[in-house]
Amino acid sequence: MTRLHDHLAEAIKDPDPIRVSSRSGDDLICLRFETMKVYSALGAVRNLLETGAVRPGDTLIDSSSGIYAHALALACHRYGMRCHIVGSTTVDRTLKIQLEILGATVEQVPSSNNLQLDQNLRVRRIGEILRENPTYHWMQQYHDDIHYLGYGAVADLVNDLVPDGTLCLVGGVGTGASTGAIAEYLRNRGRDVNLVGVQPFGSITFGAGHTQDPEMIIAGIGSSIEFRNVRHELYDRLHWVSFEYAMSAAVDLLRTSGVFAGLSAGAAYLSALWEHNCDSGRKHVFLAADTGTRYVESAFARHAEARPMASMRPREIASLEELAVPWSAMSWDRRESALLRREEFPSATPSH
């Protein structure tokens, strides 16, 4: 029976599970979201209202490269909150107009091809705004564990899709509150889950700050500043994927399965295929966090340049010093990181 939703945010948050064939003939499962972070934003805003941390009509503010901006604007619209976004230049005209009509105010930092400069400028600008408007609530998607709360429903969906056997979940690390949260909820339900995180070169989250991608950055899945809600000890494997390889895989995903998704989805698809070839006993699920719309000009228009999937393979490394473009993979083995300082932030960890 078709469900009637009370708000678009509730309608678009659920992913489309799509069977994608691997080269060996076995199936991967792609969770194709229109905008995955709606789960994160809805869960966080709902918790803030329920605990009295904010009240209807308050202004919520955060930095975003695009996906979270849309999610937070929808959550604020759903719950009667005001929204202010400090965005990167990857917030394109189509998204910016949607945000404004939804009632959000949007400002963008100056254009930069440097990930660290872009993220630092956005965070610095938020600090200025908070000094001018101390009643605003900073959502801190990069730091606050409250963003884990919404992903229990995704774990339930994965559990229903694959009710038995071992799992491997593959997706962008980003702020840590998607892949990390889903895997943690599943493990808390007793599931055997390997978690494979995908990062761009240049991201410090798992120690790749000394490397650089000769092309553009892949927005949203890595960072040149510390993301304190990344729980490094949740991850079994890491893949660092270049723009060229992510673009090639995103084109192949569209060509072979019809799934039109972003660069992080291409990188996750590429990594999931490799992990499946190495461990075919597990059912592999990879995340496509958003559509490919904002990558049409920068990536999909270059589809003639896409490499054949069979021509790409990772450099398996034993230490971060061995990292090399265009694709490296490493067993992380659920190690903690010196970068973790979550005690500085309130905890909102999943409990069962």
Side-chain angles (χ1 to χ4, degrees), residues 34-335:
E34 184 168 339
T35 173
M36 181 179 69
K37 287 190 176 179
V38 169
Y39 277 101
S40 176
L42 283 174
V45 174
R46 186 164 51 241
N47 179 268
L48 290 170
L49 286 166
E50 289 173 350
T51 59
V54 300
R55 295 177 296 178
D58 285 354
T59 298
L60 308 183
I61 181 173
D62 215 342
S63 163
S64 174
S65 61
I67 301 175
Y68 186 76
H70 188 207
L72 184 59
L74 285 171
C76 287
H77 189 273
R78 166 71 175 82
Y79 288 111
M81 313 294 292
R82 300 179 187 276
C83 179
H84 185 80
I85 299 296
V86 178
S88 72
T89 53
T90 55
V91 177
D92 60 22
R93 175 176 168 79
T94 300
L95 177 56
K96 187 170 184 290
I97 290 172
Q98 288 185 71
L99 297 177
E100 290 171 348
I101 293 173
L102 284 168
T105 51
V106 185
E107 59 178 283
Q108 291 173 276
V109 299
S111 177
S112 172
N113 289 325
N114 182 286
L115 180 63
Q116 182 174 14
L117 179 59
D118 175 75
Q119 290 174 329
N120 279 331
L121 284 174
R122 283 189 270 142
V123 172
R124 188 181 308 146
R125 177 58 186 146
I126 285 177
E128 294 170 355
I129 294 170
L130 290 173
R131 285 190 291 272
E132 297 164 2
N133 303 275
T135 62
Y136 285 11
H137 182 87
W138 183 15
M139 293 299 293
Q140 297 188 105
Q141 68 148 325
Y142 300 150
H143 305 314
D144 197 336
D145 286 355
I146 197 172
H147 291 92
Y148 277 62
L149 296 177
Y151 286 108
V154 184
D156 289 340
L157 190 152
V158 173
N159 208 41
D160 290 342
L161 282 171
V162 189
D164 302 303
T166 57
L167 287 165
C168 179
L169 179 69
V170 185
V173 175
T175 63
S178 55
T179 47
I182 297 167
E184 186 167 36
Y185 274 112
L186 285 166
R187 288 170 181 166
N188 287 343
R189 285 157 172 72
R191 297 300 300 270
D192 179 350
V193 180
N194 269 2
L195 179 58
V196 178
V198 180
Q199 287 269 276
F201 290 95
S203 173
I204 71 166
T205 306
F206 282 89
H210 62 289
T211 64
Q212 292 298 323
D213 192 329
E215 297 247 20
M216 64 175 284
I217 61 171
I218 303 174
I221 65 168
S223 177
S224 65
I225 61 176
E226 184 181 349
F227 283 1
R228 293 174 188 160
N229 64 7
V230 174
R231 298 178 190 167
H232 298 71
E233 69 274 17
L234 295 176
Y235 291 84
D236 296 281
R237 296 265 295 162
L238 270 298
H239 285 248
W240 293 265
V241 181
S242 70
F243 167 85
E244 180 190 14
Y245 277 32
M247 179 269 288
S248 298
V251 168
D252 184 83
L253 183 62
L254 176 56
R255 181 179 289 131
T256 59
S257 69
V259 174
F260 181 48
L263 288 173
S264 67
Y269 169 53
L270 182 68
S271 303
L273 282 171
W274 182 260
E275 291 296 322
H276 174 73
N277 289 337
C278 297
D279 184 7
S280 60
R282 290 179 182 268
K283 178 65 73 174
H284 287 71
V285 179
F286 70 94
L287 305 182
D290 64 341
T291 71
T293 303
R294 63 176 173 158
Y295 300 105
V296 169
E297 294 303 324
S298 61
F300 288 97
R302 298 172 54 179
H303 62 87
E305 304 172 27
R307 288 174 171 266
M309 294 292 285
S311 71
M312 298 182 287
R313 57 187 299 120
R315 171 178 178 159
E316 192 68 35
I317 62 173
S319 70
L320 295 171
E321 288 70 29
E322 300 172 30
L323 271 169
V325 176
W327 183 11
S328 294
M330 179 180 180
S331 293
W332 187 259
D333 299 325
R334 305 190 190 185
R335 286 175 290 166

Side-chain angles (χ1 to χ4, degrees), residues 14-27:
D14 291 340
D16 299 309
I18 299 163
R19 188 176 288 114
V20 177
S21 293
S22 70
R23 287 192 293 273
S24 66
D26 294 327
D27 294 329

